Amino acid sequence: MPRIAKTQIHRDNYPATDAEQFYLRSTYVPLLDTIKSDITNRLSTKTLEAFDLRLLIPNITVKLNDNDGWDQQKISKRIIAVAKKFSPLFTVSENVMVDMLEGEICLWLHKWKHQPITERPCTALESYMHCDEDMFSTIRKLLQVLATLPVSVASAERSFSTLRRLKTWLRSRMTEDRLSSLCLINVHNKIDLLDLLDHIIDNFANSKNRRLEFVL
């Protein structure tokens, strides 16, 4: 049983008859309240509505348009309704942003409808990487918002598992840049580096003066 001071200045004593009841009121119940409050804030109605931005993911958009009968107008309406809530992120006015977004959605849908299913991005990060900043500037910004929303899949947990495997005792002095690079290589291991091999060697050779000649 914790010691109860006769004169408590900073906080009140928790009324309890035994140690279990004391820690239940002092630690367990406040912890549950904190978790509940955090979940409520992170998964608020505004956040859940923002998940309509997933309609910008080509694999989902084309499937809804072809199989489920969603026309372009219905898709655009759902996306624009969410985009208006993030209008402060754009440098243009809300009306201009809406006009730009309508045109970009039309081009975005037309672009991916003519691509094979295997080449259509399936996640927000893949869509963001395949989104041209000059042609789809508004969509790229919204995909960035979608990629930072609270996730409900296990793909985001892979980075922590990768970090546990890479950050061993033998690599305790590894710098942050090298650790981040190794994590990216491990997570995105499906990327074919053979086509980028010459580019990687050139960047490595030109990064600083070296004794060996890497560039012919």
Side-chain angles (χ1 to χ4, degrees), residues 85-103:
K85 300 179 181 179
F86 296 97
S87 57
L89 298 176
F90 301 94
T91 56
V92 297
S93 63
E94 182 176 310
N95 294 332
V96 176
M97 182 270 295
V98 171
D99 294 338
M100 292 174 57
L101 185 57
E102 287 180 348

Side-chain angles (χ1 to χ4, degrees), residues 5-182:
K6 294 182 179 180
T7 304
Q8 184 63 259
I9 300 176
H10 301 289
R11 59 179 175 80
D12 296 333
N13 289 319
Y14 295 100
T17 57
D18 53 17
E20 181 180 357
Q21 190 176 14
F22 175 83
Y23 286 108
L24 179 68
R25 295 181 177 181
S26 63
T27 305
Y28 184 69
V29 174
L31 177 62
L32 290 182
D33 291 338
T34 303
I35 295 175
K36 180 181 178 181
S37 177
D38 185 57
I39 292 176
T40 302
N41 293 332
R42 289 178 62 84
L43 300 178
S44 60
T45 304
K46 183 178 180 180
T47 303
L48 294 177
E49 290 176 352
F51 276 102
D52 280 343
L53 293 177
R54 71 185 187 278
L55 296 175
L56 291 172
I57 299 177
N59 192 36
I60 297 177
T61 306
V62 176
K63 187 180 297 184
L64 289 175
N65 186 255
D66 293 340
N67 301 334
D68 297 344
W70 284 45
D71 56 2
Q72 179 184 328
Q73 184 177 2
K74 184 176 181 180
I75 295 175
S76 300
K77 184 177 179 180
R78 295 281 293 272
I79 296 174
I80 291 173
V82 180
K84 289 181 179 179
K85 300 179 181 179
F86 296 97
S87 57
L89 298 176
F90 301 94
T91 56
V92 297
S93 63
E94 182 176 310
N95 294 332
V96 176
M97 182 270 295
V98 171
D99 294 338
M100 292 174 57
L101 185 57
E102 287 180 348
E104 290 181 13
I105 292 174
C106 179
L107 295 175
W108 184 254
L109 182 60
H110 184 269
K111 171 186 177 180
W112 293 109
K113 285 187 68 174
H114 295 81
Q115 295 290 336
I117 299 178
T118 55
E119 297 183 6
R120 296 172 187 166
C122 301
T123 64
L125 287 177
E126 291 180 2
S127 304
Y128 179 80
M129 294 174 63
H130 288 82
C131 184
D132 185 79
E133 186 174 3
D134 296 328
M135 184 173 294
F136 304 103
S137 59
T138 310
I139 291 180
R140 184 179 175 87
K141 180 70 70 174
L142 294 176
L143 286 173
Q144 186 177 5
V145 172
L146 177 63
T148 55
L149 291 175
V151 294
S152 58
V153 294
S155 58
E157 302 296 334
R158 293 175 189 156
S159 58
F160 297 101
S161 301
T162 301
L163 186 63
R164 190 181 301 112
R165 291 193 299 268
L166 293 177
K167 190 67 173 179
T168 61
W169 290 104
L170 298 177
R171 295 172 175 170
S172 59
R173 299 182 62 183
M174 186 187 306
T175 60
E176 183 178 353
D177 292 339
R178 180 177 177 82
L179 181 62
S180 300
S181 301
L182 290 176

